[in-house]
Every structure is written in structure tokens, then in C-alpha cells.
Amino acid sequence: MKVLLAGGAGYIGTHTAVEMAAAGYDVVIADNFYNSKPEAVRRVEALVGKKIPCYLLDVANKKQLSEVFEKEKIDVVVHFAGLKAVGESTRIPVAYYRNNLDTTLTLLEVMQEQGCRRLIFSSSATVYGEPEKLPLVETMKPGFCASPYGWTKWMIEQILRDACKAEPDLSVVLLRYFNPIGAHESGTIGEDPQGIPNNLFPYIAQVAVGKRPKLSIFGNDYPTKDGTCVRDYIHVVDLAKGHVKAAAYAMEHDGLETINLGTGVGYSVLEMVQAFERINGVPIPFEFAPRRPGDVPECYADASKAKELLGWEAEKTLEDMCRDTYRWQSMNPQGYPES
């Protein structure tokens, strides 16, 4: 069974490649390396013990993508390709709408032309907007999204719903991620954001190894337990294994399913900083900064549907998340080397 990871050289994509290979899938990667590096793919190959076909292309380029499908005979697609930073999306919204919608539409067109009918989409809890109640359940109507990034995910979900209604043989699984953190236990692959990190944990890790002097915590006046935002943090390896389960499910079922991938536990930003310090024995100096556009106060999952339909649930602990993040950053203080 051959799986195409569109945008597969990124943080979640590389970890999913390892888990897909371990599950017996033949993995193919397509990526433009906008926010990733070829070295990440080489390290995945070292972990899985074999070469992985990797195509340098923009997934929105229909001609190039069609050539990959024709050559590789793809059975299932996992769609990671897209810009992904909430804060950045509020500054350059047009780029987010253009990139994230175009990649999806091109993928769907090529899949239809090539007879590939199985798709796993990398969606996000941001589609729920600012929740009226918690935990977040898939049956809740998506709310008013707080950022252009969230709106692109919401729009793509709607595109995929409409496609499934029009094409009864199409199978789509929408995986709504919560907050992926951590790294592979080997320390050889992990999150390597370009420039200043947009997400909490890579920023903490860079402070821990001395790459940055201190952490900025955006907002300490939210209506939460300590005034900082609360999120559902999930280990990236658990998340990757969720994609393996979703691919197996998609091979056996037509239509569309929406599934949360989270732990069901919410931790505040301050709690995560304190946990990282305690578990790794390193200080994380920080300062409070103004709230960041697009952030909601609190967000965590009801992940019972994933257990029921996919037989999946998060297994890694908060200690695993903190230790694996620090191991990755300690072994790679500057991230992946330039290729």
C-alpha cells in the first residue's frame, strides 16, 4: 500500500513517515521545503532503514503532482501541505488563503483524475473558534474562527464535505489536531521552525539550550486558572500513529469522518513552562507580553471518537513530551543543518 505525504518533510509529516513505514506502508513524500529541510527526510530514511521517494515540488502545481501520481501509483494521501502559524496568518492572510486552498483543490483534482479515493486531512482544533463549552466534541458546529489559518482549515473541511457528497466512492478523514509537541525518542527528528518560533514548545526548547534569551508568554489576563492560555498538548508520535489508524480506516470506509486527536487534558502555558523546568532540570526565564491575535483562552478535546472508531488514544505522558523535546533540541541546538 503506497501513501503520499503531501508536505511530508515537515514536523508532523516526518514523524508520520516513520510510523507509516513501521506499519508496512510504502511512503512517498512531496514537499517544497518552504518550512522544512531535506536533512529531515534523510534522517527519516536512517530511522526506517530505506530510501523514501521524495519529490521537490509545490503541491499546488498540478502538472508536477500528476507526474508523481502516475509514477508512484498512490493509494492514499495524507494532506499536510499548507502554511500553519496562527499569528502569521493574521499578518499575511491572503498568502494563507492562496496556499492552503490551492494545494487542497489541486490534490483533489489530481486524485480524481488518477483514481485515488482515500484522503486524510491535517485539520485543526482552530475550526471550533472560541468554544462556548469544553471539552470540544466533533458534533459541535465549527465556530467563528479566530484567525485566517483557522478559516482555511474550516474552508478546506467544507470543500472536502462537498466533494464526498458529490463522489460517493471518496473516503476522507478529517483529523482535528490539538497541540502537537515532543519529538522522536531518538532525538534525530523534531520540530525545527524557521525564524522565531510561533508555537510554545519549540520556543521553550530554544530558550533551554541558550539559542534565545527568554520566552515571551502572550497574555496573562485570560479567564483561566492562572491567566495564561490553556491547551491540549499531544505528543507528535501519538499524533503520527493516529494517521496510521486513520489511513487503515479510510481504506475500509467511504464518506467523511471528523475525528479529534488530543489527550483530553488542558494545561496552561505557565504549567507547561514549570513542567519543562522540573522534568529537564533547566530554568526557562520568561516575560509576559501582550495577547497575540488569534489566540482563544482555552481549548481541549473530547477524544473518545478516535478511540471508538480508530482504536486510537494518546499514550505518551507530559514527561515524555518534555523530555523528548529537550533531547531533540539538545542534540540539534540549531535545528537541522542546511542542506
Side-chain angles (χ1 to χ4, degrees):
M1 197 71 66
K2 193 166 286 189
V3 56
L4 173 68
L5 306 184
Y11 173 47
I12 300 171
T14 48
H15 289 82
T16 301
V18 171
E19 298 304 325
M20 285 284 185
Y25 287 88
D26 293 320
V27 176
V28 178
I29 290 174
D31 205 296
N32 63 2
F33 294 105
Y34 174 80
N35 194 33
S36 56
K37 294 177 183 174
E39 174 64 19
V41 178
R42 288 193 283 271
R43 294 191 183 188
V44 169
E45 291 174 333
L47 286 169
V48 304
K50 62 181 178 181
K51 292 289 290 182
I52 292 176
C54 182
Y55 294 87
L56 174 58
L57 59 84
D58 186 335
V59 174
N61 185 313
K62 187 174 181 181
K63 181 177 182 297
Q64 292 181 335
L65 188 63
S66 296
E67 290 171 354
V68 172
F69 271 78
E70 289 169 3
K71 181 177 180 181
E72 298 291 348
K73 310 302 180 189
I74 303 299
D75 297 297
V76 58
V77 175
V78 183
H79 178 15
F80 298 112
L83 301 175
K84 63 174 187 175
V86 168
E88 182 183 62
S89 76
T90 66
R91 299 191 299 273
I92 53 169
V94 174
Y96 269 69
Y97 288 114
R98 168 66 71 185
N99 183 83
N100 292 5
L101 297 182
D102 278 4
T103 54
T104 302
L105 293 169
T106 302
L107 259 176
L108 283 172
E109 289 173 350
V110 173
M111 286 176 63
Q112 185 178 52
E113 291 169 6
Q114 299 292 328
C116 179
R117 314 309 294 144
R118 303 290 180 255
L119 175 67
I120 315 302
F121 175 55
S122 168
S123 192
S124 164
T126 57
V127 301
Y128 290 108
E130 188 163 345
E132 294 182 0
K133 62 179 182 178
L134 293 164
L136 294 166
V137 183
E138 294 89 347
T139 53
M140 291 177 175
K141 186 177 181 179
F144 187 86
C145 299
S147 68
Y149 165 76
W151 279 117
T152 66
K153 295 296 188 182
W154 183 90
M155 291 175 181
I156 292 168
E157 285 195 3
Q158 188 59 48
I159 289 167
L160 294 172
R161 283 190 194 92
D162 291 339
C164 282
K165 288 177 183 176
E167 305 169 41
D169 65 332
L170 184 60
S171 177
V172 173
V173 180
L174 307 176
L175 294 180
R176 290 178 177 167
Y177 306 165
F178 281 70
N179 289 69
I181 60 174
H184 191 269
E185 63 182 7
S186 67
T188 58
I189 60 173
E191 188 167 10
D192 181 26
Q194 308 301 300
I196 299 173
N198 286 286
N199 296 327
L200 174 65
F201 246 55
Y203 210 125
I204 290 177
Q206 290 186 11
V207 172
V209 299
K211 186 175 180 179
R212 301 193 181 277
K214 57 188 173 183
L215 170 71
S216 293
I217 297 178
F218 298 105
N220 64 341
D221 58 349
Y222 285 98
T224 59
K225 61 186 84 174
D226 57 25
T228 63
C229 290
V230 171
R231 295 290 183 269
D232 185 335
Y233 295 94
I234 177 173
H235 198 293
V236 67
V237 171
D238 280 334
L239 189 69
K241 290 178 178 178
H243 291 77
V244 177
K245 296 283 191 179
Y249 181 87
M251 297 306 296
E252 301 296 330
H253 299 82
D254 294 334
L256 183 140
E257 284 289 352
T258 304
I259 301 174
N260 289 337
L261 291 185
T263 66
V265 179
Y267 292 102
S268 75
V269 171
L270 278 179
E271 286 176 326
M272 295 302 285
V273 172
Q274 293 160 0
F276 192 96
E277 290 180 320
R278 182 183 73 254
I279 291 162
N280 293 308
V282 292
I284 305 296
F286 67 85
E287 64 179 5
F288 291 112
R291 290 187 183 192
R292 186 172 57 178
D295 283 339
V296 301
E298 200 165 7
C299 178
Y300 56 90
D302 179 329
S304 57
K305 185 175 180 180
K307 184 175 182 180
E308 177 187 343
L309 281 191
L310 306 183
W312 174 94
E313 59 184 329
E315 298 175 347
K316 300 278 189 178
T317 65
L318 180 59
E319 286 73 18
D320 295 326
M321 300 179 207
C322 291
R323 288 196 189 100
D324 290 344
T325 298
Y326 189 46
R327 182 184 300 112
W328 150 255
Q329 199 71 67
S330 299
M331 291 173 61
N332 305 271
Q334 303 303 317
Y336 294 114
E338 297 292 339
S339 301

